[in-house]
Amino acid sequence: MAYVSFCTYLGLRSTSRSQKPKKNQRFRRMPPQPLINTIGKFAQDLGDNQKFVQSDITRATKIYFASTQIFSGFQNGWFREQLEAAFATTLHARGIKKRMPYFFSTLENQLEFTAEELAFIRSDEPLFADSDIGDFVRDLQRQHKKSGSTLDYAEWVRQTWLSPGPAQRV
């Protein structure tokens, strides 16, 4: 009984084995453990507030999975080199107060993401295992067409999805 009370206190719920997953449940992609460890270490080394580390991991995970789909011949070692290069640039940059956002801007610029790819990475779109960046881009294209905007598609993506800032390449 004490164990049950303790679990209730922690907000844990017991699940019976007879419970089945929901029929339309979509599974999310989970970040690789080495990526979690690396970003956690970078955040600490760059002086990021601990309350933002989960957000940093989420952003890095989106960049990682986008990269696996965008870059043919993607390899984890190559991606690790990209992370380390962006980290080194950030570490040696002067006059930067918010180093983790600068790190991500540096990484995104280094990887030369398109506006569509950046929109995906910066969106609130969850990383479901059954979808990819192509699905997001097709949805963007539909939204642009439906909007009736006179802006060309690339400019519409930049103005609608990307806020001006240091991460945006012009």
Side-chain angles (χ1 to χ4, degrees):
M1 182 65 176
Y3 176 75
V4 172
S5 297
F6 183 68
C7 288
T8 303
Y9 173 75
L10 293 177
L12 302 175
R13 296 182 198 151
S14 63
T15 55
S16 71
R17 293 179 180 250
S18 63
Q19 288 180 336
K20 296 179 183 175
K22 296 176 184 174
K23 287 183 182 180
N24 295 328
Q25 185 176 5
R26 296 177 72 189
F27 295 98
R28 293 179 184 232
R29 294 177 194 235
M30 300 306 295
Q33 191 61 47
L35 181 63
I36 294 171
N37 297 344
T38 299
I39 296 302
K41 174 89 170 86
F42 286 1
Q44 182 178 8
D45 292 349
L46 295 173
D48 199 27
N49 188 321
Q50 284 298 317
K51 69 180 182 180
F52 299 127
V53 173
Q54 184 57 51
S55 177
D56 296 336
I57 291 169
T58 299
R59 187 168 178 184
T61 301
K62 287 190 93 167
I63 292 170
Y64 172 83
F65 282 114
S67 296
T68 65
Q69 297 170 43
I70 295 165
F71 301 108
S72 63
F74 175 91
Q75 293 184 350
N76 285 330
W78 170 83
F79 189 74
R80 172 77 185 199
E81 291 170 3
Q82 302 305 307
L83 290 172
E84 290 172 353
F87 176 74
T89 299
T90 303
L91 200 57
H92 296 102
R94 299 198 184 275
I96 305 300
K97 293 183 183 190
K98 295 183 177 184
R99 291 189 172 275
M100 276 311 282
Y102 185 84
F103 163 78
F104 283 116
S105 296
T106 301
L107 180 61
E108 291 168 354
N109 289 336
Q110 183 178 301
L111 294 172
E112 299 180 352
F113 287 126
T114 66
E116 291 172 327
E117 294 160 351
L118 285 173
F120 171 75
I121 290 165
R122 296 178 186 173
S123 74
D124 292 333
E125 183 75 16
L127 285 168
F128 290 119
D130 63 347
S131 65
D132 61 25
I133 195 168
D135 297 330
F136 180 83
V137 168
R138 283 186 289 282
D139 189 45
L140 273 183
Q141 292 167 342
R142 280 191 292 273
Q143 287 178 35
H144 174 253
K145 189 173 185 177
K146 190 176 180 181
S147 75
S149 174
T150 57
L151 296 172
D152 77 310
Y153 173 68
E155 186 59 30
W156 177 85
V157 170
R158 278 190 285 284
Q159 287 189 18
T160 307
W161 287 86
L162 304 175
S163 62
Q168 186 175 353
R169 291 180 319 226
V170 181

